[in-house]
């Protein structure tokens, strides 16, 4: 089973940038669809971005044009580059992995593997 560990979160002013990393062990990222979800206080967990095994990428409308998901299979790492950050981006960001997507890449129940999460706080 793959284990996921996120890093790179922190405090940033609105308009700034952060890059999150997700390091995988116990399995090769090349064998998984990888993604990111986030959860803000008092809100539902929501899809942010995902990248398929062939490098195809998907984004939530709220982050499209600002966030970029990428993967480096040689390093067994997935990244989330976040630009033009907004206070609404404040949340715990979790890295996820799935061996197979059956219906929807944006559905959290498709992903069997989750990291512990990293806090991102954006101040206005």
């Amino acid at each position: 089973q793959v284990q996921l560990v996120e890093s790179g979160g922190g405090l940033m002013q609105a308009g700034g940038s952060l890059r999150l990393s997700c390091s995988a062990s116990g399995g090769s990222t090349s064998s998984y669809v990888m993604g990111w979800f986030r959860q803000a206080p008092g809100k539902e967990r929501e899809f942010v971005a995902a990248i398929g095994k062939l490098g195809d990428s998907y984004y939530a409308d709220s982050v499209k044009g600002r966030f970029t998901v990428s993967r480096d299979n040689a390093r067994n790492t997935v990244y989330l580059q976040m630009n033009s950050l907004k206070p609404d981006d404040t949340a715990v960001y979790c890295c996820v992995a799935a061996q197979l997507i059956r219906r929807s890449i944006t559905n959290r129940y498709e992903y069997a593997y989750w990291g512990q999460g990293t806090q991102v706080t954006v101040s206005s």
Side-chain angles (χ1 to χ4, degrees):
Q1 292 187 349
V2 67
Q3 291 85 45
L4 306 172
V5 177
E6 304 93 339
S7 61
L11 175 63
M12 178 58 63
Q13 287 189 329
S17 298
L18 281 174
R19 188 177 80 158
L20 304 184
S21 299
C22 172
S23 179
S25 60
S28 173
T29 53
S30 63
S31 299
Y32 295 85
V33 175
M34 304 294 297
W36 294 89
F37 281 73
R38 68 185 181 186
Q39 187 166 20
K43 294 187 177 181
E44 292 287 320
R45 188 171 293 178
E46 65 174 357
F47 170 79
V48 177
I51 185 164
K53 297 178 186 180
L54 300 180
D56 44 317
S57 56
Y58 307 83
Y59 299 94
D61 287 344
S62 58
V63 307
K64 203 171 292 183
R66 300 188 298 121
F67 290 12
T68 303
V69 61
S70 62
R71 64 195 306 157
D72 184 341
N73 290 332
R75 296 179 184 273
N76 243 19
T77 301
V78 175
Y79 304 98
L80 185 67
Q81 178 67 43
M82 306 187 295
N83 298 329
S84 303
L85 284 163
K86 304 175 181 180
D88 283 349
D89 294 320
T90 295
V92 174
Y93 285 71
C94 289
C95 179
V96 297
Q99 289 183 300
L100 177 67
I101 299 295
R102 289 174 173 78
R103 290 188 178 180
S104 172
I105 203 167
T106 66
N107 188 324
R108 61 180 177 171
Y109 296 108
E110 298 277 6
Y111 298 90
Y113 306 102
W114 291 70
Q116 290 296 311
T118 185
Q119 176 70 47
V120 172
T121 303
V122 184
S123 62
S124 57

